[in-house]
Amino acid sequence: MRTIAELPHPDFKITLFAMNQKFILKFEQGTLEQVYKIAETDISDGVNGVFQLIDDDFTAAVSECFNEMRQSFIGAYKRHEY
């Protein structure tokens, strides 16, 4: 897997990888991460096409998903306090 780009964002780290004819788009926030795999053939403009996917609506949805993931984990942790 090779790193193609790291994109700046104030709320999370965004990294774009390439591997096995797929683009792998990874968002990281603290201990959580979201990964989206996109076939290169599904993107008409290559890397620039992936960059176009990362618009305000998508990053807002990613942020909301991080919030839900965090709440789910906190709830599970509290049910099984160590």
Side-chain angles (χ1 to χ4, degrees):
M1 181 163 42
R2 72 187 163 97
T3 303
I4 302 295
E6 288 187 6
L7 305 172
H9 193 277
D11 297 328
F12 32 78
K13 180 179 177 184
I14 304 172
T15 310
L16 178 62
F17 301 97
M19 184 177 78
N20 298 335
Q21 289 107 26
K22 289 187 178 88
F23 291 114
I24 300 168
L25 186 57
K26 182 164 85 167
F27 296 84
E28 297 175 80
Q29 189 179 65
T31 60
L32 303 173
E33 66 180 41
Q34 297 176 49
V35 176
Y36 298 86
K37 296 179 182 178
I38 310 154
E40 288 180 2
T41 56
D42 290 345
I43 301 293
S44 61
D45 197 16
V47 172
N48 290 329
V50 176
F51 291 157
Q52 291 174 10
L53 289 175
I54 307 170
D55 61 10
D56 290 339
D57 289 339
F58 183 46
T59 56
V62 167
S63 185
E64 181 59 32
C65 188
F66 274 128
N67 291 335
E68 291 174 12
M69 291 169 68
R70 187 169 290 101
Q71 292 306 313
S72 295
F73 180 76
I74 289 170
Y77 191 83
K78 285 182 178 181
R79 287 191 303 276
H80 305 279
E81 292 203 31
Y82 295 94

